[in-house]
Amino acid sequence: MNQQLNNINNTASSFNAVKLGLSLCVACALGLSSASVYSAEEIASQVNGAVSQARQLDAPASDDNDAELRVAQLHQQATLLTGNAQTSLKVTREQRMAVHQKSAATKASQQQRALAQQNQVVYYDFSFYDAQTRLFEDFDYDGFYQAFSVTFDADINSSGGDVQADVFAELYLSQNGGPWIHYYSTDVFTLNADSSFDDYEVLTTLANGYQTDHYDVLIDLYELGYADPVATVSSDDIDSLYALPLESSDRDAVYVEEVYIEEVHAGALSWFSFSLLGAFAWIRRSFMNKK
């Protein structure tokens, strides 16, 4: 009987050990998977060598001191990301729009559109009231900046009064008239009719991969769940989005001229000079004595 109980206990212990081993393996696998996902997200947060952060403003654009503080914070973030990320494949505006076309065909997007239509009983459309840019950080003083901000105010046009809509924006840069290249996607935010207190600001540092040149800016506004832009503004419409003098931070290095100083040891040269003079005087004296 005792032997039978021992066998049962041994079997139970073996089962528990196997169960514990399997649990550890699953935990390790999940841990490795999470680490891989985190690493991928960290690299993906830098798009085409540009690091951006954004916020919706609940008040008009703030003063220069606040802007400088945000730039300093952005540079700290860019320093961490730039060391881990490489310049990725640049995505054009057409390619980005194709992604939204495919996304809008999903069942979830169709439900979002149906819900939006139920909530809004009046017709409305969208427009950009204004868009402004500011330039920051030119360390080598060549007139080309590595950091800039884009602040835009989009409105809902409607005769129905207080209309709200959930939207997001895609931002693009064009180098000297070239194709529009995507550099940032905003989060979803809410527009309130034609309110002047829902501006959106995107602050960007070009970390690498941007040549020293002039760049135009384009902004596409999307209503959540819809395939096509509901409003667009670019350098064709507003002068402040035209010909921004930009370059990535790896081209904005400060040149420090190195100065070399050669030390002359006057003591050693003086002893050597005295020795030559003494030898010359001795030779001259010997020559005179012979005469």
Side-chain angles (χ1 to χ4, degrees), residues 224-240:
L224 190 63
Y226 287 81
D228 298 317
V230 293
T232 298
V233 67
S234 72
S235 52
D236 293 336
D237 309 299
I238 299 179
D239 290 342
S240 64

Side-chain angles (χ1 to χ4, degrees), residues 65-100:
N65 292 333
D66 189 28
E68 290 177 2
L69 177 60
R70 295 197 308 277
V71 170
Q73 294 171 345
L74 178 63
H75 276 302
Q76 292 178 357
Q77 178 187 2
T79 300
L80 294 175
L81 292 176
T82 304
N84 298 327
Q86 299 294 326
T87 303
S88 57
L89 182 64
K90 293 185 177 181
V91 178
T92 66
R93 184 183 181 216
E94 289 75 17
Q95 291 171 323
R96 194 68 184 164
M97 293 175 75
V99 171
H100 291 303

